[in-house]
């Protein structure tokens, strides 16, 4: 597919979901690159605290806005990272999750079309569902339940990918489509509900470590710095529009993760087993050949190293002031 190169002089970036975990890292990177950054967020799962230290930066603007409603600004680059990513959060209001994924994406693609901006979509490994191909390549179409409790997110993100491709084919919007695999690190909300934050917070607080199911399901965990480096490199290049998997291709069972966290933190926590939520994918590992080929991507932080950094962060945020 041809890739258009509209931009010779890009310098204003709109980051929707910029007050969230990943979005806040993108805000920081683009300010450091000298760009003007407009951070849009409805603060559903993100917080002002995530970007508090950027508020005094002359090139940073924080706007409370819900992407389900149209937004207009003259920008050169748009990141759509606005959507709750943690299962408990996206399932708490599934209709809103679908609206954010579909109407929100349509609004931001419409803006990209009007102002000629490059548009980068945070898609997800969830579009592969409970995969029948392992590891997952971008060519795999997935195995997704359309009517289950995860569908609002999985199908919402699949529809968002469809919209990106149709805006690209119909209106030549200059898209970049990134399928992000489980990522963790500083600025995750301690009560976010995803597995890495749950296990670390539980261990630090001496609470039981809650494994859902028997813990044999697998995930591949990427430290945030590796992911953000990959996102920026992909959005900066003109060879490919995606979709492109991004993450870390080392694979662990959830039980191995629990044991690793317990070994590092010690304390009195013990592992307890809770029911596995329905449609929980049994296996997940990215095939990263496209990322390796297009941007020379190689994850550099092992789970062992990344967990140490994440533990340090959670120790700091949980410390009573
Ligand atoms: P997050 O929940 O920390 O961040 C999402 C941000 O979007 C929050 O600040 C939230 O307040 C904001 N938001 C939600 N709905 C909105 C709306 N309607 N209008 C405006 N803002 C809204 O999650 P994250 O991990 O930073 O994820 C960011 C993006 O990356 C999401 O699109 C997610 O689907 C995708 N993603 C993340 C992962 C991961 O492992 N972190 C994996 C796959 C995909
Ligand atoms: N999980 C778990 N205990 C927790 C939270 C999650 O065992 O306290 C499991 C969950 O069932 C899934 C895996 O860990 O199999 C990853 O869950 P997460 O919510 O982080 O992301 P997912 O990849 O499922 O979207």
């Amino acid at each position: 597919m041809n890739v258009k190169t509209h931009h010779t002089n890009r310098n204003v970036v709109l980051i929707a979901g910029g007050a969230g975990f990943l979005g806040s890292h993108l805000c920081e990177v683009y300010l450091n690159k000298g760009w003007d950054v407009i951070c849009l967020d409805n603060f559903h799962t993100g917080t002002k605290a995530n970007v508090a230290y950027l508020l005094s930066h002359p090139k940073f603007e924080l706007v409370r806005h819900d992407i389900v409603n149209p937004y207009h600004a003259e920008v050169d680059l748009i990141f759509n990272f606005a959507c709750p990513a943690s299962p408990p959060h996206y399932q708490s209001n599934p209709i809103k999750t679908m609206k954010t994924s579909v109407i929100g994406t349509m609004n931001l693609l419409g803006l990209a079309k009007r102002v000629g901006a490059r548009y980068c979509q945070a898609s997800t490994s969830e579009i592969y569902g409970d995969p029948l191909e392992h590891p997952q390549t971008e060519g795999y179409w997935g195995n997704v339940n359309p009517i289950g409790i995860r569908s609002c997110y999985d199908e919402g993100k699949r529809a968002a990918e469809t919209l990106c491709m149709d805006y690209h084919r119909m209106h030549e919007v200059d898209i970049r489509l990134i399928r992000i695999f489980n990522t963790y690190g500083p600025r995750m909300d301690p009560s976010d509900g995803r597995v890495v934050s749950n296990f670390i917070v539980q261990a630090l607080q001496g609470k039981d470590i809650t494994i859902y199911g028997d813990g044999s399901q697998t995930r591949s965990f990427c430290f945030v710095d590796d992911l953000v480096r990959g996102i920026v490199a992909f959005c900066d290049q003109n060879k490919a529009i995606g979709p492109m998997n991004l993450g870390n291709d080392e694979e662990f069972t959830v039980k191995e993760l629990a044991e690793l966290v317990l070994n590092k933190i010690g304390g009195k926590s013990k592992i307890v087993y809770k029911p596995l939520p329905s449609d929980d994918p049994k296996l997940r590992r990215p095939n990263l050949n496209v990322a390796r080929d297009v941007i020379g991507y190689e994850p550099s932080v092992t789970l062992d190293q990344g967990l140490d950094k994440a533990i340090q962060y959670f120790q700091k945020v949980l410390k009573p002031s």
Side-chain angles (χ1 to χ4, degrees):
M1 180 148 326
N2 287 334
V3 172
K4 289 191 53 159
T5 52
H6 297 283
H7 304 283
T8 47
N9 193 18
R10 288 182 282 150
N11 58 10
V12 185
V13 58
L14 176 81
I15 303 179
F21 163 48
L22 297 179
S24 62
H25 286 272
L26 284 173
C27 289
E28 187 179 316
V29 169
Y30 276 86
L31 284 173
N32 288 339
K33 279 159 82 78
W35 286 53
D36 284 350
V37 173
I38 304 174
C39 169
L40 281 194
D41 210 290
N42 70 352
F43 304 117
H44 174 207
T45 53
T47 59
K48 278 188 196 162
N50 276 342
V51 288
Y53 73 109
L54 302 176
L55 288 172
S56 59
H57 194 293
K59 293 192 166 197
F60 183 74
E61 202 178 331
L62 177 61
V63 181
R64 179 189 287 268
H65 179 82
D66 193 311
I67 61 160
V68 166
N69 302 310
Y71 181 80
H72 189 84
E74 293 299 323
V75 298
D76 305 285
L77 175 60
I78 297 171
F79 284 96
N80 182 6
F81 277 60
C83 186
S86 145
H89 285 306
Y90 70 64
Q91 287 163 19
S92 70
N93 188 343
I95 297 169
K96 176 69 189 200
T97 300
M98 186 60 98
K99 275 188 179 170
T100 295
S101 295
V102 178
I103 302 173
T105 296
M106 219 184 275
N107 282 332
L108 292 177
L109 281 163
L111 175 62
K113 177 189 158 207
R114 282 194 294 282
V115 301
R118 179 166 287 180
Y119 174 96
C120 176
Q121 171 72 13
S123 190
T124 167
S125 51
E126 291 290 329
I127 67 109
Y128 300 120
D130 190 8
L132 304 176
E133 175 180 308
H134 190 72
Q136 293 77 55
T137 61
E138 291 84 352
Y140 177 51
W141 289 357
N143 178 37
V144 175
N145 176 359
I147 55 169
I149 56 170
R150 297 175 83 98
S151 312
C152 59
Y153 184 75
D154 299 10
E155 296 288 21
K157 288 285 189 177
R158 285 169 70 92
E161 286 204 4
T162 307
L163 284 165
C164 289
M165 291 308 299
D166 284 335
Y167 269 77
H168 177 68
R169 284 185 285 251
M170 219 175 142
H171 300 300
E172 301 185 312
V173 172
D174 183 21
I175 61 159
R176 297 290 180 276
L177 201 44
I178 304 180
R179 294 182 180 155
I180 301 169
F181 283 64
N182 298 64
T183 301
Y184 67 96
R187 303 215 196 104
M188 280 189 105
D189 177 357
S191 60
D192 178 81
R194 280 176 273 185
V195 69
V196 175
S197 47
N198 269 12
F199 286 180
I200 294 177
V201 170
Q202 287 163 343
L204 288 174
Q205 294 181 333
K207 296 181 178 158
D208 290 342
I209 307 276
T210 54
I211 289 185
Y212 303 158
D214 62 6
S216 63
Q217 69 271 38
T218 68
R219 294 293 186 272
S220 304
F221 300 103
C222 184
F223 188 67
V224 62
D225 291 359
D226 277 337
L227 187 92
V228 168
R229 184 169 42 81
I231 292 171
V232 173
F234 188 60
C235 288
D236 270 359
Q237 57 74 44
N238 295 313
K239 281 193 291 190
I241 61 168
M244 184 186 80
N245 291 337
L246 208 54
N248 188 314
D249 52 3
E250 263 196 294
E251 186 178 6
F252 295 85
T253 65
V254 164
K255 187 152 186 254
E256 284 169 337
L257 175 71
E259 284 162 353
L260 208 59
V261 169
L262 266 180
N263 282 341
K264 284 181 179 293
I265 297 179
K268 61 183 168 63
S269 300
K270 57 182 190 337
I271 290 177
V272 296
Y273 292 88
K274 303 261 181 194
L276 186 69
S278 59
D279 297 332
D280 200 288
K282 287 182 266 311
L283 299 172
R284 185 179 292 153
R285 175 155 67 101
N287 175 310
L288 294 175
N289 289 351
V290 173
R292 288 192 168 103
D293 180 44
V294 174
I295 53 171
Y297 176 77
E298 204 55 57
S300 67
V301 182
T302 63
L303 182 60
D304 189 61
Q305 295 165 333
L307 283 179
D308 287 339
K309 294 174 195 234
I311 290 167
Q312 266 175 29
Y313 157 77
F314 283 112
Q315 274 168 333
K316 212 161 82 191
V317 291
L318 293 175
K319 208 165 56 194
S321 47

